[in-house]
Amino acid sequence: MKCLVTGGNVKVLGKAVHSLSRIGDELYLEPLEDGLSLRTVNSSRSAYACFLFAPLFFQLYQAATPGQDPLRCKILMKSFLSVFRSLVMLEKTVEKCCMSLNGRSSRLVVQLHCKYGVRKTHNLSFQDCESLQAVFDPASCPYLLRAPAKLLGEAVLPFPPALAEVTLGIGHGRRVILRSYQEEEADSTIKAMVTEMSIGQEDFQQLQAEEGVAITFCLKEFRGLLSFAESANLSLSIHFDAPGRPAIFAIKDSLLDGHFVLATLSEPTPNSQDLHFSEPCRPAPQRQAHSTPQPDDFASDDIDSYMIAMETTVGSESSRTLPSISLSPGLQPPCNSEGEEDEAEAELSTVPGTPPPKKFRSLFFGSILAPAHSPLGPSPVLAEDSEGEG
Amino acid sequence: MKFRAKIADAACLNHFTRVSCMVAKLARTCTLRIRPHALNFILADPAGGGVSMWCELPQENFFSEFQMEGVSEDNNAIYVELAAENLSRALKTAQNARALKVKLTNKHFPCLTVSIELVSVSSSSRMVTHDIPVKVIPRKLWRNLQEPTVPDADVSIYLPVLKTMKSVVEKMKNISNQLIIEANLNGDLNLKIESELVCVTTHFKDLGEVQVDIRKFLQFLAGQQVNPTRGVCNIVSHKMVHFDLLHEDVSLQYFIPALS
């Protein structure tokens, strides 16, 4: 493999590597006919990220030297990232970046041609590996949300950088809601602040989901793709399904596309009816003339805006076991595509009494039920395709 | 108990945010007292070194709407304890807010709910809501949280520019843990540190002496981002130093006891 990146694309490549580094510790580099693919997966196999750079992204792109099979390699993310560590430096001083895979010496050579005749050569050792494949199909997800990355960036701004998980859902009036998700602490005397952001559907380029639909995923991992999308000024699409099934975050332009597939928390069990946020979502204040004018600004507020009795005792909350993030059966090696359905059914049958989706939605905004651990069987993990060597 | 209030003015919101950030820098948890005409941030920690802070905000200067109902008619006040950082973080997200509402709610546990309506380019507005968990303080503990009496000071002087003091004290911190504050009625203030090898004094102008923990003093200074309209330092010789700052309309009193 040999390819050459020039000009502003060097920084784009660098940013992509930064994004990927938020997910996994190893980078799978695979030159394909339709471009160079950079992939990674996290250690718990609950997040997968992939960028595909089309041949046009490069000034020169050669997937494989003629006569040879294309090489695939796995490199330490830290090593690869160190080449692109300083984005500022990339932008200011690097004119060209040349990458080539040398099968004989098992080295990925990355050469940065900088200003003033300076040339930096990095020889990164790699391991041969199987192809990292995740089977996912955005088209199979019933729900879709698409917005400029800038909007989503503003949407996550109120949340603390340390927040691990966030719930995304559609509330009353088809407003898109993001709410901080807190796992129930063993030490329940210390409660965390809950932050919620609500955005009207008009701000979204596409919204294909009914009220009540929601998923909970790792915000930190999502931020990885979001920062890339913001810097490239792209739109970000979120394809999702029922809780427990992975959510697909996608960006695309003419020269590249990126996909982050993140597991979502699985569906709550029936006994977590203990709704935490039981008042209906506040309707968005309307600008246009309303038939019933609201003179008192507080009238549109939530029902229980009155403080409780003095000696307050925190009500006994339903005990919830820690939810697990599991990959849906959808992520499987390609040869098991039929097994996929069986797995999905098996999943449902081990959780008897799980409310059918409709019922769940009617209880919803209202509240985001903190999903409890559904006793799933061992979830299939993202496995490397065990193709033969070479 | 009920509490609902609204801030509609950007300048008021900024000011309120700055006050809460300052409180957050001084302690992890603080008490918020709500009464019909004022809000107070109170830090009373007699056990841990006796540093305490009393901050009073006249409510009319901040809130365009303010309704409260205390515990009872005779005790028309609400005392709650919260993590100061939560409030400052919540308020900081209101940079581009059209309006901010705060109220006491019960969402499975008592909360101070801050709702912010953000300015948005499109026709629909954006709302951010923060539910800050609070602990209601029972009436029997209220007497520990009353306004401290200003001591009869030996010396009362006006403070120099706080930023200058802060940069001086920051460097002194590396030399000694104890800071001697001297002031006299002529308008001189000295900040002095003594170690075996060196003695450093910064003269601001006057005399009357108290020895305090330098870190506490620095913490207090670090919290002051804006120079107050008026700052007075009262020293009770060998007992304590009391700072009385006035930022426009918010008064802040801070007490540092002397090291025994």
Side-chain angles (χ1 to χ4, degrees):
Chain A
M1 186 262 317
K2 190 167 156 69
C3 62
L4 186 63
V5 185
T6 57
N9 283 353
V10 178
K11 187 177 176 205
V12 173
L13 177 65
K15 275 234 83 168
V17 180
H18 276 260
S19 284
L20 292 169
S21 68
R22 302 283 284 264
I23 303 284
D25 297 325
E26 285 174 333
L27 181 72
Y28 291 73
L29 199 136
E30 187 171 351
L32 301 166
E33 277 308 308
D34 42 344
L36 181 67
S37 111
L38 299 177
R39 301 179 192 153
T40 187
V41 71
N42 72 357
S43 50
S44 57
R45 308 303 221 184
S46 61
Y48 162 89
C50 155
F51 279 95
L52 179 70
F53 295 94
L56 281 175
F57 179 81
F58 304 92
Q59 190 170 72
L60 163 73
Y61 180 72
Q62 194 180 52
T65 49
Q68 265 194 6
D69 283 331
L71 288 166
R72 281 191 297 254
C73 72
K74 183 165 81 166
I75 330 165
L76 270 184
M77 185 70 76
K78 252 192 339 199
S79 314
F80 199 63
L81 182 64
S82 67
V83 179
F84 303 97
R85 168 85 60 204
S86 165
L87 294 169
V88 172
M89 190 267 301
L90 286 180
E91 190 172 27
K92 286 198 178 145
T93 63
V94 178
E95 290 161 354
K96 286 196 286 203
C97 167
C98 179
M99 295 194 287
S100 55
L101 272 176
N102 184 337
R104 266 171 298 135
S105 59
S106 284
R107 289 278 183 273
L108 169 71
V109 182
V110 183
Q111 211 171 49
L112 298 177
H113 297 242
C114 311
K115 274 188 190 166
Y116 316 118
V118 173
R119 202 182 294 186
K120 300 181 190 172
T121 309
H122 299 258
N123 290 290
L124 309 171
S125 60
F126 67 78
Q127 286 176 288
D128 280 329
C129 63
E130 295 89 20
S131 178
L132 180 69
Q133 296 269 29
V135 176
F136 58 91
D137 182 11
S140 70
C141 293
Y143 310 125
L144 168 65
L145 206 133
R146 205 168 119 253
K150 181 165 178 282
L151 171 77
L152 295 170
E154 287 165 3
V156 300
L157 206 52
F159 298 93
L163 180 67
E165 276 136 12
V166 75
T167 303
L168 167 71
I170 317 293
H172 282 278
R174 283 174 66 74
R175 289 184 70 82
V176 177
I177 313 253
L178 275 170
R179 188 182 295 192
S180 56
Y181 173 80
Q182 311 286 351
E183 272 185 18
E184 173 135 305
E185 298 285 323
D187 177 4
S188 57
T189 52
I190 302 169
K191 305 254 182 262
M193 179 163 88
V194 174
T195 299
E196 179 182 293
M197 171 69 138
S198 151
I199 307 176
Q201 59 168 321
E202 304 79 31
D203 289 351
F204 290 83
Q205 292 162 326
Q206 234 181 319
L207 181 57
Q208 231 169 268
E210 305 103 64
E211 284 179 23
V213 155
I215 48 165
T216 300
F217 55 87
C218 180
L219 178 61
K220 283 187 183 166
E221 288 163 352
F222 170 60
R223 284 188 200 266
L225 181 63
L226 182 59
S227 72
F228 180 88
E230 279 182 288
S231 70
N233 219 357
L234 296 171
S235 287
L236 202 148
S237 303
I238 307 178
H239 303 260
F240 59 106
D241 200 336
R245 298 196 65 81
I248 304 165
F249 300 81
I251 53 165
K252 189 178 171 61
D253 80 3
S254 52
L255 299 178
L256 59 85
D257 62 54
H259 289 93
F260 272 44
V261 185
L262 305 180
T264 62
L265 287 178
S266 47
E267 204 161 27
T269 52
N271 56 5
S272 67
Q273 302 289 317
D274 197 316
L275 307 180
H276 275 224
F277 298 92
S278 53
E279 67 275 12
C281 193
R282 195 190 348 261
Q286 302 292 327
R287 284 271 194 100
Q288 64 267 33
H290 209 272
S291 55
T292 53
Q294 300 179 345
D296 177 3
D297 209 358
F298 289 111
S300 60
D301 284 347
D302 303 332
I303 302 174
D304 42 326
S305 44
Y306 293 95
M307 186 57 179
I308 42 13
M310 183 55 152
E311 308 310 325
T312 192
T313 48
V314 176
S316 56
E317 296 165 68
S318 69
S319 57
R320 297 195 309 276
T321 48
L322 290 176
S324 63
I325 297 182
S326 55
L327 285 181
S328 91
L331 292 177
Q332 271 189 355
C335 54
N336 274 8
S337 54
E338 277 173 36
E340 191 180 326
E341 271 155 43
D342 295 335
E343 283 281 4
E345 283 178 338
E347 189 183 321
L348 286 175
S349 66
T350 57
V351 187
T354 304
K358 275 195 191 149
K359 218 193 215 172
F360 170 60
R361 280 198 285 277
S362 72
L363 290 171
F364 201 69
F365 279 98
S367 72
I368 299 184
L369 302 178
H373 176 61
S374 3
L376 294 171
S379 30
V381 294
L382 197 61
E384 290 175 17
D385 240 351
S386 42
E387 289 177 5
E389 291 291 358
Chain B
M1 277 191 280
K2 288 186 210 175
F3 172 57
R4 303 164 135 165
K6 178 175 170 185
I7 301 180
D9 174 70
C12 295
L13 182 54
N14 270 337
H15 197 181
F16 190 61
T17 307
R18 270 184 277 130
V19 173
S20 94
C21 289
M22 178 181 60
V23 174
K25 284 199 175 148
L26 290 172
R28 288 188 65 200
T29 46
C30 82
T31 301
L32 174 65
R33 180 175 83 168
I34 305 167
R35 285 193 312 172
H37 296 294
L39 283 185
N40 293 93
F41 288 104
I42 307 167
L43 297 175
D45 191 7
V51 172
S52 70
M53 180 210 71
W54 179 267
C55 177
E56 184 155 308
L57 290 84
Q59 122 341 62
E60 297 91 18
N61 298 345
F62 291 88
F63 300 94
S64 56
E65 288 169 40
F66 192 92
Q67 297 165 27
M68 65 92 43
E69 239 175 65
V71 168
S72 69
E73 289 246 350
D74 310 328
N75 294 287
N76 196 18
I78 300 172
Y79 286 70
V80 293
E81 192 180 274
L82 48 76
E85 205 219 327
N86 279 345
L87 181 62
S88 68
R89 213 169 355 107
L91 292 173
K92 277 194 256 194
T93 64
Q95 292 288 352
N96 290 325
R98 206 174 267 147
L100 181 144
K101 287 191 221 167
V102 62
K103 58 191 181 189
L104 236 30
T105 55
N106 181 19
K107 299 186 172 178
H108 249 68
F109 46 82
C111 285
L112 191 68
T113 295
V114 178
S115 314
I116 302 161
E117 192 188 324
L118 293 171
V119 170
S120 154
V121 275
S122 73
S123 59
S124 74
S125 62
R126 289 187 208 166
M127 308 276 324
V128 182
T129 314
H130 299 275
D131 293 313
I132 303 169
V134 300
K135 196 166 83 172
V136 179
I137 298 178
R139 216 177 318 174
K140 57 181 188 269
L141 295 178
W142 289 10
R143 65 195 141 89
N144 301 335
L145 298 164
Q146 298 310 306
E147 179 162 8
T149 46
V150 177
D152 284 332
D154 298 320
V155 179
S156 260
I157 57 163
Y158 286 106
L159 288 167
V161 175
L162 296 182
K163 229 181 191 156
T164 315
M165 272 210 294
K166 178 178 166 204
S167 47
V168 166
V169 176
E170 208 146 63
K171 302 296 183 295
M172 286 177 159
K173 182 182 70 161
N174 301 325
I175 302 175
S176 164
N177 270 343
Q178 294 172 351
L179 175 74
I180 301 171
I181 305 178
E182 294 175 334
N184 70 20
L185 295 164
N186 290 338
D188 297 328
L189 173 71
N190 285 353
L191 298 177
K192 191 155 78 175
I193 44 167
E194 286 166 357
S195 79
E196 284 164 2
L197 298 172
V198 72
C199 167
V200 182
T201 310
T202 303
H203 303 267
F204 287 94
K205 272 182 181 182
D206 274 59
L207 259 162
E209 193 190 298
V210 162
Q211 206 179 71
V212 297
D213 185 335
I214 204 170
R215 285 162 304 186
K216 295 211 167 88
F217 185 51
L218 192 56
Q219 194 183 29
F220 162 67
L221 288 174
Q224 309 307 313
Q225 290 160 315
V226 180
N227 207 45
T229 317
R230 191 203 75 183
V232 176
C233 170
N234 297 314
I235 301 180
V236 180
S237 204
H238 302 295
K239 291 254 175 60
M240 71 146 96
V241 62
H242 164 233
F243 296 95
D244 188 348
L245 307 180
L246 187 64
H247 287 262
E248 293 164 44
D249 41 16
V250 177
S251 82
L252 173 77
Q253 295 178 55
Y254 198 66
F255 301 81
I256 308 180
L259 291 172
S260 47

